[in-house]
Amino acid sequence: MKRAKVNAMTTNNHLNFEELDSKTYEDYSKTANELLEVEHLDFENSKYLAKVLFLLKRHDESIEQLERALSQKSDDESIALIAVNHFQKGDYENSLKFLDECLERDPENQTLLSYAMMSYEFQNDYENAVRCGKRILKCNSKNISVINRLIDCHIELENYEKCLDYISQIEYEDSYKKASILHKAGRYEECIEESRKIQTVKSYRLAGMSYHKLGNTVKAVKYLYKSYEKDPNIDTLFEIAEIYFEAGDYGRAIHFLNDALLHDPLSIEAHTKIAHAYLNTSHWDDAVEYAKKAIKISKKVPQAYIILAEAYFQLESGNVEKTLEVLDEGIGENPESEDLWMEKGGYSFPYDMFTFKESYEKAISLNPKNPDIYHEYIYLLIMNDELEAAKRYYNQMLFYNPLFEKSFEELKKSMYL
């Protein structure tokens, strides 16, 4: 018969399950049933029953027996086991309450510290998890498991240099994660060097993105395409196209976006980005064609309406009426799009000042924390010599963005230049 697996960590003074380690689950169940029939259990039997119930995963009953034992006698092991019962239930807040009580008397107990660390991790409280991990390492500096968990906590906290400090202390086996951390830490040359050792789909991609950060478009595309050859993934094609977009090479961007359409002929993103590329190269008819294709696939694409509106504006030699018609259609389908409302406001200026103001104020109401909306609105208000209104919206912007780098006078001066 299979022996029961003890699923609690052991230590010198807490959570000692050796007395039960040779029993089977059937034995546990029989023992529990027998002891639960006893009307008045003494301290030792209540504690023993609590351990049996814990191993049977009957955590609420285990806690009840431990509380009964503690009513008879103070006992750190019972308090610790209450904490672990709560942990197993996923009640990390109560688990920490009892763990803290034990750790006050036994601050170097690695088992309890590890449970506390995990409780914080499961609550996404990585700062306190790190604090517990550091306390464990003071007791045992070679605890590889804790070092690896500290690395993961520091990744969540975006303390990438600290991650690399811990990695340097051990023989770190996850080369890709190390390369990824190097990338996030901005150490792109080292990331490339580490990635080359691995030569996987993900490592080629990481090397490509690192070359992109270093401004080397040719090598960035080379390594991203190596990743694509190993795993033909449409997302990689979008990444390559985006690199060419940033480099202003719209022809190559369109080439890779067309490859993306071979993967997914109904890709809204590919059609919209191709339309954008044609817009940037003044191919207005092509921009209209692809923007319309994107809208045909889904009308919930604000950017496609914005591109289509701009393309019509250029084709119609500044015909605002057709442009606003497209934007109104887009707003009808996407009434919560701040970008569409901003575009409508911009194209209405200075021909229809009521619509201009109404549209920008609607955009601001949708996202009052977006400084770009205020910036454009303030700029146009200053152009129209409405300085009082411009100052009012400038002050409103500062309420949400107190670190905005320019004073109103500097902003006004720069706009008149």
Side-chain angles (χ1 to χ4, degrees), residues 81-327:
L81 189 50
I82 290 176
V84 179
N85 267 299
H86 282 298
F87 178 88
Q88 295 291 350
K89 288 174 60 182
D91 183 356
Y92 305 118
E93 187 175 339
N94 271 317
S95 178
L96 284 165
K97 182 176 74 173
F98 289 98
L99 287 169
D100 286 344
E101 185 178 340
C102 292
L103 286 167
E104 283 181 11
R105 291 186 287 275
D106 191 3
E108 295 184 356
N109 189 301
Q110 294 178 53
T111 297
L112 300 180
L113 283 168
S114 188
Y115 272 117
M117 184 180 183
M118 288 187 289
S119 295
Y120 284 123
E121 287 176 276
F122 291 147
Q123 294 183 101
N124 300 325
D125 185 350
Y126 299 108
E127 289 185 358
N128 275 315
V130 165
R131 178 177 56 80
C132 293
K134 289 167 72 175
R135 287 173 66 183
I136 296 170
L137 292 185
K138 281 185 179 180
C139 304
N140 178 9
S141 62
K142 302 299 182 183
N143 190 321
I144 304 300
S145 172
V146 170
I147 291 173
N148 276 286
R149 285 160 61 197
L150 280 168
I151 291 167
D152 290 338
C153 287
H154 281 297
I155 288 174
E156 296 293 340
L157 292 168
E158 300 182 2
N159 295 334
Y160 303 119
E161 291 296 338
K162 197 66 182 175
C163 294
L164 295 169
D165 288 343
Y166 280 116
I167 286 173
S168 68
Q169 297 175 26
I170 59 175
E171 292 184 14
Y172 197 63
E173 295 181 358
D174 193 338
S175 297
Y176 173 76
K177 186 182 281 189
K178 180 180 178 181
S180 177
I181 293 168
L182 286 164
H183 179 82
K184 290 173 180 175
R187 290 161 64 168
Y188 303 119
E189 292 90 346
E190 293 170 77
C191 173
I192 291 166
E193 184 181 347
E194 194 70 28
S195 297
R196 282 174 174 168
K197 298 175 186 175
I198 313 168
Q199 297 187 352
T200 63
V201 171
K202 293 196 298 181
S203 70
Y204 282 137
R205 179 185 174 279
L206 205 50
M209 298 311 292
S210 291
Y211 273 120
H212 176 50
K213 289 290 187 179
L214 292 169
N216 191 329
T217 300
V218 173
K219 285 195 173 180
V221 171
K222 173 185 173 181
Y223 277 91
L224 283 170
Y225 201 74
K226 279 187 176 184
S227 173
Y228 177 75
E229 287 177 323
K230 279 183 169 286
D231 176 23
N233 188 315
I234 191 172
D235 291 335
T236 308
L237 294 174
F238 283 128
E239 287 173 344
I240 294 172
E242 190 60 35
I243 287 172
Y244 280 127
F245 250 96
E246 290 182 25
D249 192 338
Y250 301 112
R252 284 193 171 91
I254 290 169
H255 170 79
F256 283 100
L257 290 167
N258 277 319
D259 283 349
L261 287 175
L262 296 176
H263 281 266
D264 180 6
L266 297 179
S267 170
I268 299 168
E269 183 179 358
H271 282 102
T272 304
K273 285 184 177 292
I274 290 172
H276 193 189
Y278 279 128
L279 190 70
N280 287 347
T281 54
S282 303
H283 289 79
W284 317 121
D285 288 321
D286 291 320
V288 167
E289 177 189 350
Y290 278 90
K292 282 185 172 181
K293 285 180 178 178
I295 292 168
K296 187 176 180 180
I297 296 166
S298 173
K299 294 181 179 181
K300 304 299 182 183
V301 193
Q303 190 60 30
Y305 288 101
I306 291 169
I307 293 167
L308 184 59
E310 172 65 17
Y312 276 135
F313 183 78
Q314 297 296 336
L315 283 169
E316 300 283 338
S317 302
N319 185 339
V320 175
E321 185 178 345
K322 179 66 174 177
T323 301
L324 290 174
E325 182 183 317
V326 172
L327 292 172

